[in-house]
Amino acid sequence: MGRKVTVATCALNQWALDFEGNLQRILKSIEIAKNKGARYRLGPELEICGYGCWDHYYESDTLLHSLQVLAALLESPVTQDIICDVGMPVMHRNVRYNCRVIFLNRRVLLIRPKMALANEGNYRELRWFSPWSRSRQVEEYFLPRMIQDLTNQETVPFGDAVLATRDTCIGSEICEELWTPHSPHVDMGLDGVEIFTNASGSHHVLRKAHARVDLVSMATTKSGGIYLLANQKGCDGDRLYYDGCATIAMNGSIFAQGSQFSLDDVEVLTATLDLEDVRSYRAEISSRSLAASRVDPYPRVKVDFALSSQDDLLLPLSEPIEWKYHSPAEEISLGPACWLWDFLRRSQQAGFFLPLSGGVDSAATACLVFSMCYLVCEAVRNGNRQVLADVRNIVGQATYTPQDPRDLCGRLLTTCYMASENSSQETCERARALAQQIGSHHIGLSIDPAVKAVVGIFSLVTGKHPLFAVHGGSSRENLALQNVQARIRMVLAYLFAQLSLWSRGVRGGLLVLGSANVDESLLGYLTKYDCSSADINPIGGISKTDLRAFVQLCVQRFQLPALCRILSAPATAELEPLADGQVSQTDEEDMGMTYAELSVYGRLRKIAKMGPYSMFCKLVNMWRDSCTPRQVAEKVKQFFSKYSTNRHKMTTLTPAYHAESYSPDDNRFDLRPFLYNTGWPWQFRCIERQVLQLEGSGQQDLDSVD
């Protein structure tokens, strides 16, 4: 009959500039696709070089090595008798494009450049690439000689075209193009394209998985068709975690769902679908047929190849499925854990060092490492040979097979409670109990001798002896004495990270983990160059509210009752003297606002793009039942004053897993000045005028009641 097609899409854990590893993962995915009967294989965006090359795209080496990998793919017997759709940068007439290169049996069929580039948030594609702006037009691309020698082609079509096989028509759109107001699949579908492919480089953000799934299913609900989405997965060298979710959909239903988080470097999805289902679905929509009769045609590249076979009558078809989503707490338990694993194995370090304070944030970080260990043991049990090889390499034992997450955690995680005279016995006990339950190698030490020595040097030089506020000192003295404790902890963390394994006769060094949450970073409620300064921070993009939900999940999931005491305790930095052995300082009192309020300010500042005046106008309504306009004004002013005073701290923020769209990460995501006029005179005057006006009208309203 020749109408059932088996198609494959995949999620690959590619690594920027790891051309050798990237090639092997691409070949493995093609081999799996062929073994599953697929005759078309789609891979992620820019999979040959890895999506996150950033300014390496400027280098001719990146283009050269991408071509060399393409040559190796064309030459490989693995790529025969299957249409391969791979992603790489291509230079055409001295302009760089983000392209799909589609080939079959050692011949390049089409090079399709990306037409809408992602250029917001973490994306900077316009910095390195130009969009192809000539809709439905193609040019001749002169192949480099190393490719000509393999394909015996001098030129190939380059531009906005579709493939016409013997049995169907296939069209590409690349990542961002699906998100544009008028996606290419709309007109391609009207012009008879039945299979749409989307190669993505899309990263994880909490609560966003549904957006991609909705777009894919909606694309085929409106006008029918088969839709394949491929995505990168894993940490390819920076703060982002690409979260897979490869998808195959048809006529508004999902037929295959890839994992969002996993330690598998190569994941291939296939589905067998009936082209007649697309045709009958479309034929029923009369408005689509009318629009199709008026659409401008796409250039077609004819391909003497069929995705279906003649004798497919008994070939079983795939059934629609229901997409399964993770809760935000589950996303936190999985995404950062997978990111930590990639970072650990690719940095060639022997484990992690974590200052464990007995509070929620450092406990959450410890739980993420434990979750990583849990995933590693699970992957090894399921036969993942790459994970087994990696874990043996990390621990330096060729015969080690991880079975118990606690045992593995003891090998990979060193936790340390750094007590001072201001620390309570309660936090020390909480840290020790958690370390015992997750199995980490735990150290307890006192920083007091080092603090006294450093403050002693200052007193020796100046003849002055700074005091805490409770002992009669000024606010400057009080803050300086808190900061010196925090910074000494950072120095000790790095010393122990470098030498603690050496002291135990084990090879290698440890990555220092930070644990400042997104809300504290936003406000600058941290000491510059304290324990927030680390190698990486798995929770730096996560709010305090979400972290508490994640820690609550871990109580049940990992049987960690020690977390209950941590959750019920007030958050405190413990940098000021205790009052009768009890904590005298809490985070929310110190900050002058609650974590819940901070999340609101963060979302309005970044996501809603509001300055002080707009935020005040928004919150006057949002909080009208609990605050007067005057109180709202004071809260907004206080936030912006503290935020702008501390913004300089964001320039040295530890690289953190990107999970929240209101992250204040200054490196690439949230680009702002770090020297502000912290009085905001003009903006605050506008707020004040509005408050006076509201108070005046409120008084008039009251007068009218009398």
Side-chain angles (χ1 to χ4, degrees):
M1 289 177 68
R3 62 187 206 180
K4 295 178 184 176
V5 294
T6 302
V7 287
T9 183
C10 60
L12 304 183
N13 194 336
Q14 302 299 70
W15 188 10
L17 302 178
D18 177 27
F19 293 97
E20 181 62 43
N22 293 348
L23 169 61
Q24 295 310 319
R25 285 182 284 271
I26 292 168
L27 283 170
K28 186 177 176 184
S29 71
I30 295 168
E31 189 172 18
I32 294 169
K34 278 176 71 175
N35 289 340
K36 289 184 169 188
R39 305 196 78 184
Y40 184 98
R41 175 268 182 202
L42 173 73
E45 187 173 10
L46 295 164
E47 60 187 306
I48 282 179
C49 55
Y51 184 81
C53 293
W54 309 140
D55 279 3
H56 289 289
Y57 287 122
Y58 289 134
E59 298 165 7
S60 60
D61 280 16
T62 304
L63 295 165
L64 169 67
H65 300 325
S66 296
L67 284 168
Q68 290 168 334
V69 171
L70 176 62
L73 288 168
L74 285 162
E75 219 169 358
S76 170
V78 172
T79 63
Q80 300 305 295
D81 301 321
I82 182 170
I83 296 178
C84 297
D85 186 335
V86 298
M88 61 182 274
V90 175
M91 179 89 79
H92 173 56
R93 298 183 184 176
N94 297 340
V95 178
R96 247 186 331 271
Y97 295 98
N98 171 350
C99 293
R100 303 306 299 169
V101 178
I102 307 170
F103 62 91
L104 168 68
N105 293 339
R106 293 174 72 129
R107 289 182 71 79
V108 176
L109 304 174
L110 171 67
I111 300 177
R112 198 316 198 144
K114 191 171 183 179
M115 300 176 71
L117 299 182
N119 213 56
E120 67 289 322
N122 287 297
Y123 295 105
R124 296 281 181 281
E125 289 181 13
L126 280 169
R127 181 178 170 96
W128 311 294
F129 300 112
S130 296
W132 181 256
S133 53
R134 299 174 62 193
S135 177
R136 290 169 240 207
Q137 292 184 46
V138 292
E139 295 176 352
E140 281 189 316
Y141 173 75
F142 284 81
L143 290 170
R145 277 173 298 179
M146 72 170 89
I147 306 297
Q148 284 187 29
D149 293 344
L150 288 169
T151 66
N152 293 317
Q153 297 167 284
E154 186 183 22
T155 63
V156 295
F158 184 103
D160 185 22
V162 297
L163 299 182
T165 63
R166 283 193 229 139
D167 51 355
T168 188
C169 192
I170 306 163
S172 298
E173 56 185 12
I174 307 173
C175 199
E176 179 75 7
E177 294 170 4
L178 172 61
W179 302 73
T180 57
H182 192 84
S183 299
H185 71 256
V186 176
D187 284 348
M188 286 193 297
L190 292 174
D191 192 34
V193 171
E194 294 176 329
I195 300 173
F196 309 107
T197 65
N198 186 312
S200 282
S202 183
H203 65 77
H204 175 232
V205 177
L206 283 171
R207 302 175 176 86
K208 287 291 169 71
H210 67 88
R212 249 181 321 211
V213 179
D214 291 350
L215 281 168
V216 169
S217 55
M218 189 54 65
T220 59
T221 298
K222 284 197 296 185
S223 57
I226 295 166
Y227 203 106
L228 311 184
L229 183 135
N231 194 18
Q232 194 162 298
K233 69 193 303 193
C235 163
D236 83 338
D238 69 357
R239 296 161 172 78
L240 307 179
Y241 179 84
Y242 298 90
D243 60 339
C245 291
T247 310
I248 301 177
M250 181 176 73
N251 299 345
S253 297
I254 302 293
F255 282 80
Q257 171 185 355
S259 62
Q260 188 175 11
F261 312 104
S262 105
L263 302 187
D264 296 333
D265 284 347
V266 176
E267 183 181 14
V268 179
L269 298 187
T270 58
T272 302
L273 302 165
D274 193 336
L275 292 171
E276 286 302 316
D277 288 341
V278 173
R279 292 159 190 165
S280 58
Y281 183 92
R282 286 178 169 179
E284 204 174 3
I285 308 169
S286 60
S287 58
R288 183 206 163 272
S289 301
L290 286 169
S293 66
R294 295 192 295 267
V295 77
D296 292 329
Y298 277 78
R300 274 167 160 70
V301 176
K302 292 179 184 172
V303 184
D304 188 16
F305 185 77
L307 300 194
S308 57
S309 57
Q310 285 298 321
D311 51 349
D312 63 3
L313 186 61
L314 299 178
L315 189 64
L317 290 168
S318 302
E319 295 292 330
I321 60 168
E322 202 63 40
W323 191 279
K324 293 182 176 64
Y325 294 99
H326 294 291
S327 70
E330 288 170 338
E331 288 185 68
I332 294 167
S333 76
L334 296 167
C338 293
W339 182 77
L340 282 173
W341 175 247
D342 279 345
F343 215 100
L344 179 59
R345 67 191 181 119
R346 288 175 170 172
S347 65
Q348 301 283 299
Q349 297 302 297
F352 300 110
F353 182 90
L354 172 65
L356 192 62
S357 69
V360 168
D361 293 343
S362 63
T365 304
C367 288
L368 284 173
V369 177
F370 186 74
S371 178
M372 180 198 84
C373 294
Y374 188 90
L375 291 172
V376 167
C377 292
E378 190 177 53
V380 169
R381 264 198 312 278
N382 293 336
N384 189 319
R385 283 185 282 187
Q386 183 63 55
V387 171
L388 181 59
D390 286 334
V391 80
R392 286 173 171 173
N393 183 50
I394 291 164
V395 301
Q397 292 181 18
T399 57
Y400 175 66
T401 300
Q403 291 170 323
D404 177 15
R406 284 169 180 78
D407 172 69
L408 182 59
C409 194
R411 295 165 187 262
L412 297 184
L413 178 62
T414 298
T415 51
C416 182
Y417 182 81
M418 301 185 189
S420 76
E421 61 187 12
N422 303 318
S423 303
S424 65
Q425 192 56 39
E426 173 63 19
T427 53
C428 177
E429 277 303 309
R430 293 202 301 260
R432 189 193 55 75
L434 178 61
Q436 193 173 23
Q437 287 175 18
I438 64 174
S440 66
H441 179 86
H442 190 62
I443 300 167
L445 58 83
S446 170
I447 66 169
D448 289 335
V451 173
K452 285 184 173 69
V454 171
V455 175
I457 292 170
F458 175 83
S459 298
L460 196 65
V461 172
T462 63
K464 299 281 188 183
H465 297 272
L467 298 172
F468 281 106
V470 294
H471 300 145
S474 66
S475 60
R476 276 193 293 177
E477 294 166 71
N478 196 59
L479 191 57
L481 288 174
Q482 291 184 65
N483 286 348
V484 75
Q485 297 168 73
R487 289 183 175 126
I488 280 169
R489 286 188 171 121
M490 184 273 289
V491 172
L492 285 169
Y494 273 95
L495 177 64
F496 275 81
Q498 286 181 293
L499 292 181
S500 65
L501 292 185
W502 167 79
S503 72
R504 284 142 59 189
V506 180
R507 70 173 184 87
L510 303 173
L511 289 164
V512 180
L513 293 180
S515 46
N517 63 59
V518 74
D519 299 321
E520 290 168 346
S521 299
L522 174 67
L523 195 66
Y525 182 63
L526 49 89
T527 300
K528 205 174 187 179
Y529 305 118
D530 69 348
C531 279
S532 65
S533 293
D535 292 315
I536 50 173
N537 177 358
I539 69 162
I542 304 170
S543 72
K544 189 78 163 189
T545 309
D546 284 339
L547 282 174
R548 292 184 68 85
F550 159 64
V551 171
Q552 188 66 58
L553 175 81
C554 292
V555 174
Q556 281 85 38
R557 176 164 289 187
F558 301 130
Q559 282 82 52
L560 301 173
L563 294 172
C564 295
R565 284 166 63 199
I566 291 170
L567 281 167
S568 61
T572 172
E574 288 198 330
L575 295 170
E576 294 188 49
L578 300 171
D580 301 322
Q582 298 300 308
V583 171
S584 61
Q585 169 190 33
T586 67
D587 290 355
E588 292 190 335
E589 281 174 22
D590 265 4
M591 294 189 300
M593 58 195 76
T594 66
Y595 281 107
E597 287 172 341
L598 252 179
S599 275
V600 173
Y601 300 143
R603 287 190 167 86
L604 294 180
R605 180 198 71 96
K606 177 68 179 173
I607 302 171
K609 301 164 186 66
M610 291 184 176
Y613 180 70
S614 300
M615 190 180 291
F616 165 75
C617 294
K618 183 78 167 180
L619 290 176
V620 156
N621 280 303
M622 272 178 66
W623 292 348
R624 65 180 178 274
D625 294 336
S626 56
C627 296
T628 65
R630 171 70 57 193
Q631 288 169 326
V632 172
E634 292 312 311
K635 284 174 181 284
V636 169
K637 288 179 191 175
Q638 183 191 31
F639 166 70
F640 273 98
S641 297
K642 288 194 173 185
Y643 156 76
S644 55
T645 300
N646 289 321
R647 181 68 199 191
H648 65 95
K649 296 178 183 178
M650 296 307 94
T651 62
T652 61
L653 207 59
T654 295
Y657 179 97
H658 180 88
E660 187 57 79
S661 42
Y662 70 89
S663 163
D665 164 36
D666 186 75
N667 176 274
R668 184 175 290 135
F669 181 70
D670 187 44
L671 307 180
R672 316 267 169 157
F674 55 89
L675 177 63
Y676 281 93
N677 180 343
T678 58
W680 301 82
W682 187 282
Q683 295 91 332
F684 286 2
R685 236 186 354 262
C686 289
I687 292 175
E688 193 57 34
R689 276 200 298 270
Q690 196 66 56
V691 170
L692 292 171
Q693 195 176 329
L694 287 168
E695 287 177 341
S697 63
Q699 191 57 53
Q700 284 170 7
D701 290 345
L702 289 172
D703 292 344
S704 65
V705 172
D706 294 340

